[in-house]
Structures are given as C-alpha cells and as structure tokens.
Amino acid sequence: GAGVSQSPSNKVTEKGKDVELRCDPISGHTALYWYRQSLGQGLEFLIYFQGNSAPDKSGLPSDRFSAERTGGSVSTLTIQRTQQEDSAVYLCASSVPGLHTDTQYFGPGTRLTVL
Amino acid sequence: AQSVAQPEDQVNVAEGNPLTVKCTYSVSGNPYLFWYVQYPNRGLQFLLKYITGDNLVKGSYGFEAEFNKSQTSFHLKKPSALVSDSALYFCAVRDGGSQGNLIFGKGTKLSVKP
C-alpha cells in the first residue's frame, strides 16, 4: 500500500516568507508526527496529532511554527516569517497507536532552504 | 527525561565482517526501542523494534538487536555486512507508559568497504 507522502520534496524560500509543508499519512493511521532533521541537531520532535485529541505542541521551537490536521488525515505544517535557522529537512510520520502496532512510518521529507 | 546515546558518529566495517552499531537509552518507564535506517536523500526506514518479550529482536535486511535491561542498551547487529548496508542508522526510544513522539539518537554513519 501507499506510504507516507510529503510535498513539496524541496522548497527554497526567502527569509521572511511563509511556507506550508504537507503530509499525507498512511490510510487508517490515526497518529501523525512532525519532526525536523538538521545538521548538528539530529532529529527533533515538533508536534503530534492523535485522533480528535488536542495536539501535543511541546516540540514547536517558536510561535512562528504551527500545524493543523484536517479531517483526521492530511496535515499542514506552516512556518511564518522564515529564518535561515529554519533550513532543515522536515519529516512526517504516521502510526496506529497500540502495543504492537505503534511503529512510526516516515515520509521522504521536505528539504527547506531559507536564503 | 528520556534520552538516547549513540556513542559512535561513524562505524567502518569490511564487507563480510560482522557489524555492531551501539545504542544506550534512558527512560523512566518501560522502554519501547526502535532502529531506523536512512539512505541519502531518503526518509527513515523502520528496521526493528523491541516492545516486550524476547530480548533478541530480528528485523529487516538481516539485522537484529538485543535488548539489555541491566546495561540499558539496544545494540544493532548483523553477522555479515554488505556494501549496501552503508547508511545512517538511528536508535530511538519512548516510554511505553505513554503515547507520543520518539526520542532519537544523533545517528551513526555506517560505512561498509568492499
């Protein structure tokens, strides 16, 4: 079946512009995660959605970052007034929470470059 | 606080030799442990996980890992390395008592030479 998809695969933007990154999780996966992978920082958790519960936003680095998940499926990560330090690969993952099923499957990522 | 340590930035192995990529963790509850592999310009691919049960876990591409509670370790192993195993490997953990995100190690670059 189809895996997690993300778009765009690459995004180049100018400092100060807003960007939107999209994630389509695996069908039927109720949990969705955003992570950021940058040089020297490894993989950082950003935000977690589970079903209809309030999202866990504890990893968002600043109030310029926000995310939503519409209809329990597709998610959009928005970065406002981008800064050069926002340059990174943004990874989305989805899973089915449960003792033996809770494996996160990752998309290919969106490489964001802020000039 | 949860944390994962991968003490080696890079591991070099000759093709055909056994390989080990080390991981130690810290978590307050029961650990759920994962290994992922990342090839250049690709996302993370799931290799294997330990949730409960047998301490030796077998996964994709001939990899296995052993959960050692007393040493808080979850080292990744393969009996005979292939050049195609060359990639970046990430260990991750989360507290089994709660849902949520994984905590990742910094990653270990595995280089297998012919």
Side-chain angles (χ1 to χ4, degrees), chain A residues 11 15 37 76 100 102 104:
Chain A
K11 177 70 176 180
K15 178 181 174 181
Q37 183 177 20
T76 302
H100 293 289
D102 194 10
Q104 295 180 27

Side-chain angles (χ1 to χ4, degrees), chain B residues 21-63:
Chain B
V21 182
K22 295 180 180 177
C23 172
T24 58
Y25 66 90
S26 174
V27 68
S28 55
N30 291 324
Y32 285 11
L33 294 152
F34 301 79
W35 276 102
Y36 287 85
V37 60
Q38 186 177 37
Y39 297 99
N41 300 314
R42 304 284 295 276
L44 274 66
Q45 293 181 28
F46 168 72
L47 278 179
L48 51 78
K49 68 181 179 185
Y50 171 83
I51 303 297
T52 186
D54 195 345
N55 289 345
L56 183 63
V57 179
K58 294 186 182 295
S60 307
Y61 312 122
F63 284 93

Side-chain angles (χ1 to χ4, degrees), chain B:
Chain B
Q2 302 171 65
S3 65
V4 175
Q6 292 182 244
E8 302 151 318
D9 290 335
Q10 180 152 348
V11 170
N12 298 312
V13 177
E15 187 174 32
N17 283 0
L19 70 87
T20 299
V21 182
K22 295 180 180 177
C23 172
T24 58
Y25 66 90
S26 174
V27 68
S28 55
N30 291 324
Y32 285 11
L33 294 152
F34 301 79
W35 276 102
Y36 287 85
V37 60
Q38 186 177 37
Y39 297 99
N41 300 314
R42 304 284 295 276
L44 274 66
Q45 293 181 28
F46 168 72
L47 278 179
L48 51 78
K49 68 181 179 185
Y50 171 83
I51 303 297
T52 186
D54 195 345
N55 289 345
L56 183 63
V57 179
K58 294 186 182 295
S60 307
Y61 312 122
F63 284 93
E64 58 187 31
E66 185 165 13
F67 169 62
N68 187 316
K69 187 173 183 178
S70 63
Q71 298 185 4
T72 61
S73 67
F74 190 57
H75 302 330
L76 182 69
K77 300 184 179 185
K78 186 173 182 181
S80 179
L82 300 172
V83 172
S84 57
D85 293 330
S86 298
L88 189 57
Y89 290 80
F90 289 95
C91 181
V93 70
R94 74 171 179 86
D95 186 336
S98 62
Q99 301 291 338
N101 60 287
L102 296 172
I103 303 298
F104 284 87
K106 294 288 189 185
T108 298
K109 183 178 180 181
L110 174 66
S111 178
V112 182
K113 300 294 186 185

Side-chain angles (χ1 to χ4, degrees), chain A:
Chain A
V4 178
S5 60
Q6 293 186 244
S7 61
S9 55
N10 281 282
K11 177 70 176 180
V12 180
T13 190
E14 294 179 348
K15 178 181 174 181
K17 300 284 189 183
D18 297 351
V19 295
E20 287 188 350
L21 312 179
R22 176 187 168 104
C23 172
D24 280 274
I26 294 171
S27 178
H29 282 199
T30 57
L32 187 148
Y33 311 78
W34 283 98
Y35 294 87
R36 178 169 71 175
Q37 183 177 20
S38 50
L39 286 175
Q41 296 295 324
L43 274 150
E44 305 171 80
F45 163 70
L46 296 177
I47 188 168
Y48 160 54
F49 296 89
Q50 167 49 29
N52 295 322
S53 301
D56 176 357
K57 304 179 182 180
S58 60
L60 294 178
S62 78
D63 58 8
R64 296 186 296 105
F65 287 72
S66 63
E68 62 179 22
R69 189 178 185 192
T70 54
S73 181
V74 171
S75 177
T76 302
L77 177 70
T78 301
I79 309 173
Q80 296 178 309
R81 306 181 301 282
T82 52
Q83 303 294 312
Q84 288 182 331
E85 61 263 28
D86 299 334
S87 296
V89 176
Y90 289 81
L91 294 166
C92 176
S94 70
S95 73
V96 178
L99 179 62
H100 293 289
T101 57
D102 194 10
T103 297
Q104 295 180 27
Y105 294 94
F106 284 78
T110 294
R111 181 176 297 276
L112 175 66
T113 303
V114 182
L115 301 177

